[in-house]
Amino acid sequence: MDSFIIRGPSRLEGSVRISGAKNAMLPLMAATILTGGQCILDNVPDLRDTRTMMKVLETLGIPSSLEDGVLSIDAASVTSFEAPYDLVRTMRASIYVLGPLLARFGKARVSMPGGCAWGPRPIDQHLKGMMTLGAKIRIDHGYIDAQADRLKGAEVILTMPSVGATVNIMLAASLADGETVLENAAREPEISALAGALRSAGVEIEGDGTSTIHIQGRDSIEPFRHAVIPDRIEAGTYAAAALITGGDVTLENCRPDQMHSVIDKLEACGAEVTVTDDTMRVVGPKKIAPVDIDTGYYPSFPTDMQAQMMAVLCIADGASTIVEHVYPDRFTHVPELRRFGAKITLDGHVAVVSGVKKLEGAPVMATDIRASSALLLAAMVAEGETKVLRIYHIERGYEDIENKLRALGADITRVTD
Ligand code: UD1
């Protein structure tokens, strides 16, 4: 297993190109199942999760190849309708194949994802959506066994604006008979990105980006070619890296218009942020000001940036409060950050971070994608050497992170234990 060794403190300076968004790409990969043809995705990041989704498609009989950011997927024929436990347990978003398989073939068998490091993470809203569109669902030996004749458009009201459930229902509704109205839908940019791809494939969709999405189902869907939007979480992570190291970093190929809540907090911490349509320059302050953060659904502050901002606030000039509203248990990075000397108290879903003058390098363990990037941020300002174990979590969501950080001036090397 590989680890990263980081020697700090360092100051990041220069430009970094932001990759395509993992969370926009995975729904697009699943959407190809609807088409029965050859689809192409551009600006695809080569991530562990990309490779996992390619394997999921391959087990269904759908070959794909990725070269230089171009992913070709040939969904002409499907030979299996099952997403197995071994793949789903490594990547929950494998459940995105449920909606399209059910809509196109009337059957799907997908392993239940189970809990994760941040708590139970139920999928009841996905299942409710499929059932409202007419599917019969049975849980069988840890698998979701779904059957349907032609799905029928319907009104689906989500209990909470789940990104995953919105994706799965949009995919299923695209091949359903008639109109689906999805209420309390997720408003994340990744949902609008999926809607854009489906529209280019001939599906009539309105209201994406708002809480009510209308989808007119079709009898068939054209193969499509679509570019993946830039990753706003990867961008936010490099912005946080500039902030924590008091650096000067320009993010290229990003979408500042999709990052308002993060930019607000960077500025509240004292960073100077300058944006164009597709770049963002972040200059870190000498002293980081404490800020309070409440995570929430888009356009609120993303839970996927909570761990990185916590790392930043560990060296702020005062105390900050972070309230995690989306995943109340998403704090596996807290004990690891404490190993650097951070002062954090945790009470339920509320963390209070009291800034300390300096952090010290330590051996730490990555626990999930964003928690791991928070550890890298802390390591870059900590004095001395840090070893980050289990970096496969980072590789799930950050393309080429060690080279990108090294090019900005970080002292980071990969070692194989
Ligand atoms: C997606 C993102 C993940 C991000 C999360 C929240 C992908 C691949 N992953 O995850 O990076 O952290 O959005 O922005 O895009 N819930 C239920 N029942 C359900 C579904 C969700 O109770 O059926 C709850 C969850 O436990 C959570 C909240 O709804 O509290 C939001 O979850 P959801 O938006 O579905 O997250 P994911 O789509 O899994």
Side-chain angles (χ1 to χ4, degrees), residues 131-271:
M131 289 191 284
T132 310
L133 298 182
K136 289 200 172 55
I137 306 253
R138 195 163 70 89
I139 303 302
D140 175 40
H141 295 280
Y143 277 74
I144 303 156
D145 201 55
Q147 307 272 342
D149 298 328
R150 175 95 194 263
L151 292 177
K152 279 205 166 42
E155 182 182 40
V156 181
I157 305 173
L158 295 180
T159 308
M160 76 288 294
S162 155
V163 174
T166 301
V167 166
N168 235 334
I169 294 163
M170 283 170 75
L171 293 171
S174 297
L175 272 182
D177 181 19
E179 186 183 49
T180 294
V181 181
L182 180 53
E183 299 280 7
N184 199 21
R187 292 181 288 161
E188 269 69 3
E190 292 75 21
I191 298 295
S192 298
L194 173 62
L198 289 170
R199 268 195 289 270
S200 76
V203 185
E204 274 175 52
I205 301 185
E206 278 173 19
D208 50 286
T210 77
S211 297
T212 306
I213 304 179
H214 293 255
I215 304 142
Q216 290 291 341
R218 291 177 59 91
D219 293 337
S220 65
I221 292 178
E222 297 295 314
F224 58 87
R225 178 167 193 157
H226 207 77
V228 178
I229 56 170
D231 195 318
R232 64 195 167 96
I233 306 300
E234 188 199 18
T237 304
Y238 285 101
L243 174 57
I244 196 171
T245 65
D248 181 351
V249 174
T250 299
L251 316 177
E252 284 163 5
N253 184 44
C254 66
R255 285 283 302 267
D257 60 314
Q258 299 176 345
M259 297 177 63
H260 289 301
S261 60
V262 171
I263 294 172
D264 284 352
K265 294 301 174 189
L266 295 170
E267 288 180 331
C269 284

Side-chain angles (χ1 to χ4, degrees), residues 22-24 26-27 92-93 96 118 120-127 160-165 186 188 190 232 296-297 303-304 325-328 330 370:
K22 170 179 89 70
N23 290 352
L26 294 171
R92 301 174 58 83
Y96 286 167
W118 330 329
R121 292 191 79 179
I123 50 157
D124 56 301
Q125 301 299 306
H126 299 241
L127 302 186
M160 76 288 294
S162 155
V163 174
E188 269 69 3
E190 292 75 21
R232 64 195 167 96
Y297 301 107
T303 172
D304 282 354
H325 293 278
V326 181
Y327 290 108
R330 191 175 190 176
R370 311 302 167 189

Side-chain angles (χ1 to χ4, degrees), residues 17 51 67 132 149 155 161 202 232 281 285 309 368 381 390:
R17 189 178 189 282
R51 299 285 169 179
E67 215 178 303
T132 310
D149 298 328
E155 182 182 40
R232 64 195 167 96
R281 180 176 174 203
M309 282 308 286
D368 75 55
V381 285
R390 299 203 179 164

